[in-house]
Amino acid sequence: MALSKALLRIAALAVVATSLGGCSFLGINFGMAQLSEKECLMRAMYFESNRSSSEGMLAVGTVVMNRLYDGRYPRSVCGVVGQKNQFAQGVLTKKMTDSGAVLASQMADQVLRGARHPGVANAQHFHTAGLRFPYNNMYYVLEAGGNEFYEKRKPGTF
């Protein structure tokens, strides 16, 4: 009896935590199961690319797909986008409130049909344009949509 009450409390806590704090509880993603691959992709492109640039959205979408097919990241678009500390906080839960959502939807369709930004090439990383970091393994390949896209390479292989 005590065990079942404890399990009910844990289940209730999980429901409350996921409804208040996004889609993760104890490292387990709950909310992503409700989103389609397209919705996860368009949300990443919408929140990460300044919402107005199709080029920037395509570049972000290309990074998501590069990660998906790499094998070191989760094996679904929603898994890649929802991976902790990789994309904008709340990317899978915030509301999309402007016309950029229409463009993100169109661009997500294109990416899911195989479109890729040629300038991104194999890059799996990006950060806000204008920032610079003192690491010697960041090989920049493109600036688009307010972001700079880069590959991580061993020093001297540029």
Side-chain angles (χ1 to χ4, degrees):
M1 189 61 140
L3 181 58
S4 64
K5 283 185 179 181
L7 289 175
L8 284 174
R9 285 184 185 147
I10 291 171
L13 181 59
V15 169
V16 169
T18 57
S19 65
L20 294 176
C23 56
S24 179
F25 174 69
L26 298 175
I28 302 168
N29 292 323
F30 291 95
M32 290 187 300
Q34 299 170 0
L35 297 176
S36 70
E37 298 286 285
K38 177 184 174 179
E39 289 170 320
C40 292
L41 183 60
M42 71 181 273
R43 288 175 150 281
M45 294 188 303
Y46 176 89
F47 287 110
E48 295 285 6
S49 69
N50 292 336
R51 297 179 185 94
S52 61
S53 164
S54 59
E55 180 186 22
M57 287 186 182
L58 182 60
V60 170
T62 301
V63 165
V64 170
M65 301 311 281
N66 285 350
R67 288 181 175 201
L68 177 66
Y69 295 121
D70 178 79
R72 293 179 292 165
Y73 296 91
R75 302 209 186 280
S76 71
V77 171
C78 292
V80 168
V81 173
Q83 192 174 20
K84 189 174 182 175
N85 299 324
Q86 295 299 304
F87 290 90
Q89 187 174 1
V91 69
L92 296 176
T93 57
K94 288 183 185 177
K95 290 185 179 184
M96 295 185 286
T97 59
D98 63 23
S99 61
V102 173
L103 179 59
S105 177
Q106 293 167 348
M107 295 308 298
D109 284 335
Q110 290 182 28
V111 169
L112 290 171
R113 286 194 303 261
R116 300 292 184 270
H117 194 297
V120 171
N122 296 316
Q124 296 178 358
H125 309 280
F126 61 91
H127 62 69
T128 302
L131 299 177
R132 281 289 184 245
F133 300 94
Y135 308 113
N136 61 0
N137 67 339
M138 297 169 74
Y139 178 74
Y140 290 92
V141 296
L142 176 73
E143 183 176 331
N147 292 307
E148 294 195 45
F149 297 81
Y150 63 95
E151 296 177 13
K152 285 187 177 179
R153 296 184 181 175
K154 291 181 182 177
T157 60
F158 301 103

